[in-house]
Amino acid sequence: SQTIHQWPATLVQPVGSPLSLECTVEGTSNPNLYWYRQAAGRGLQLLFYSVGIGQISSEVPQNLSASRPQDRQFILSSKKLLLSDSGFYLCAWMTEGTGGSGYTFGSGTRLTVV
Amino acid sequence: LAKTTQPISMDSYEGQEVNITCSHNNIATNDYITWYQQFPSQGPRFIIQGYKTKVTNEVASLFIPADRKSSTLSLPRVSLSDTAVYYCLVQRYNTDKLIFGTGTRLQVFP
């Protein structure tokens, strides 16, 4: 079966510290992968998406970066966190040929920058 | 991508039918209408998708008028567990990215 794993579930980091969030998918190959962020009480903001290994598209200029070192691995990073980086981070993958219905989201990481 | 407009919040009571309307005046011929549901501290999950007329599944119904400039998500006999944020999205089929708006926060009371 197809599953998506995202960790950690919660994270508290000081301002200026680095960040690494990892997302892996199982049961599929060459998926489109996405990182979204949701600030408290807000909608979801698309940060990055990837259609293949090493292919990263950035949607919003920010303090974050993404990498896809393997087909089913997507990593969100920051060298120095800002207070404004706090939020709920979600990884998602899309099943090809399903249009907007084929998105599956991970369980998310709640990041608090203090 | 067509812009969508939906109410920020709605309240209902258990057992009632809830209709959430979404406006998408600039929808294109190749666009589909998709609804997602998000519970607190969880990722969104797909509810229903349609192109025109009416679509029904075990969770909801989606009504789309002929001009497709709006759509209505209908949740029959809501329960407390339907309290969530509901997102209306208009996307090209086989698009490579999903863009969410702010959604409608539905609160169901006992």
Side-chain angles (χ1 to χ4, degrees):
Chain A
S1 63
Q2 299 156 334
T3 57
I4 181 168
H5 302 281
Q6 193 179 339
W7 65 92
T10 59
L11 193 58
V12 180
Q13 292 284 100
V15 169
S17 64
L19 172 74
S20 181
L21 301 180
E22 188 165 342
C23 171
T24 59
V25 297
E26 295 178 0
T28 185
S29 59
N30 197 31
N32 284 5
L33 296 173
Y34 307 83
W35 278 110
Y36 286 85
R37 177 174 62 195
Q38 188 169 37
R42 307 287 296 275
L44 284 89
Q45 179 186 37
L46 177 62
L47 301 176
F48 301 95
Y49 71 99
S50 171
V51 299
I53 296 174
Q55 301 178 60
I56 308 295
S57 296
S58 174
E59 288 295 300
V60 181
Q62 61 224 320
N63 185 42
L64 303 169
S65 63
S67 62
R68 186 167 175 177
Q70 300 180 44
D71 181 44
R72 286 169 280 183
Q73 184 184 32
F74 203 24
I75 298 172
L76 182 69
S77 305
S78 174
K79 292 182 180 178
K80 289 185 178 181
L81 284 169
L82 306 172
L83 287 174
S84 58
D85 291 324
S86 293
F88 189 46
Y89 288 81
L90 287 158
C91 179
W93 67 277
M94 183 188 76
T95 304
E96 270 198 59
T98 58
S101 65
Y103 283 74
T104 301
F105 286 81
S107 53
T109 295
R110 187 161 301 282
L111 171 67
T112 304
V113 182
V114 297
Chain B
L1 298 174
K3 179 180 169 60
T4 60
T5 303
Q6 53 183 122
I8 294 175
S9 65
M10 295 181 68
D11 292 337
S12 183
Y13 292 92
E14 283 191 293
Q16 290 188 335
E17 178 184 72
V18 171
N19 296 309
I20 305 175
T21 298
C22 178
S23 297
H24 28 79
N25 292 320
N26 297 322
I27 191 169
T29 303
N30 296 333
D31 289 342
Y32 280 70
I33 300 155
T34 310
W35 287 79
Y36 276 75
Q37 174 191 56
Q38 185 184 22
F39 297 113
S41 297
Q42 294 185 28
R45 67 167 188 161
F46 168 78
I47 300 177
I48 197 165
Q49 183 182 62
Y51 184 79
K52 61 180 179 179
T53 63
K54 177 184 175 181
V55 179
T56 297
N57 61 23
E58 65 279 4
V59 177
S61 294
L62 180 59
F63 299 92
I64 305 169
D67 66 6
R68 303 199 330 122
K69 293 187 176 183
S70 67
S71 59
T72 299
L73 175 73
S74 181
L75 304 173
R77 297 180 296 281
V78 294
S79 63
L80 295 176
S81 62
D82 292 315
T83 294
V85 177
Y86 293 82
Y87 296 95
C88 166
L89 300 96
V90 173
Q91 304 283 148
R92 300 275 191 281
Y93 201 77
N94 284 334
T95 185
D96 57 3
K97 55 186 178 181
L98 209 58
I99 305 298
F100 288 82
T102 53
T104 297
R105 186 173 300 275
L106 172 66
Q107 179 70 53
V108 180
F109 295 96

